[in-house]
Amino acid sequence: LGWKPCPRRCTFGGGYKAAEECDHVTCECGFEFCWDCGIERQIALSHDNRWHKPSCRYHTRPEEVSERPVWVATCPQCKLM
C-alpha cells in the first residue's frame, strides 16, 4: 500500500504497510499508529474507537458510545491529564 510519515516527525521517517497487513503501523522509532489517521495505537486500545480522528474509517462518533471515558494508567493521553 505504501509509506506514511511518522506522526511524531522522528528522524526514522515513518512506516511502510503492505495491502494485506492490518491498519496499525510501527515506525522504526517504536511509535505505533493508525494507518488511516495517525493516532497513537495505545490510545484506541486503552479506550475505544471514538479517539480516532473523525475522518478515519475506524472512528466512532462519541454519541454512539454508551460508556463514559475512564482514566487508564497505560494510556498516553490519560497520562497528560
Side-chain angles (χ1 to χ4, degrees):
L1 198 63
W3 178 88
K4 282 201 176 178
C6 180
R8 288 194 171 164
R9 303 181 205 283
C10 71
T11 58
F12 293 101
Y16 179 81
K17 175 180 151 21
E20 65 276 0
E21 294 177 323
C22 70
D23 288 330
H24 140 248
V25 179
T26 303
C27 178
E28 285 186 52
C29 73
F31 185 69
E32 297 179 63
F33 61 97
C34 172
W35 178 261
D36 273 10
C37 70
I39 68 154
E40 186 165 355
R41 183 171 192 247
Q42 192 58 44
I43 295 171
L45 289 177
S46 296
H47 297 289
D48 53 59
N49 287 342
R50 77 182 111 184
W51 303 98
H52 284 274
K53 294 178 181 174
S55 60
C56 182
R57 66 178 147 168
Y58 298 107
H59 176 72
T60 301
R61 293 190 335 233
E63 59 271 13
E64 295 175 3
V65 180
S66 57
E67 301 86 26
R68 292 186 52 143
V70 291
W71 190 86
V72 178
T74 58
C75 172
Q77 194 64 36
C78 288
K79 289 178 182 179
L80 299 175
M81 301 188 327

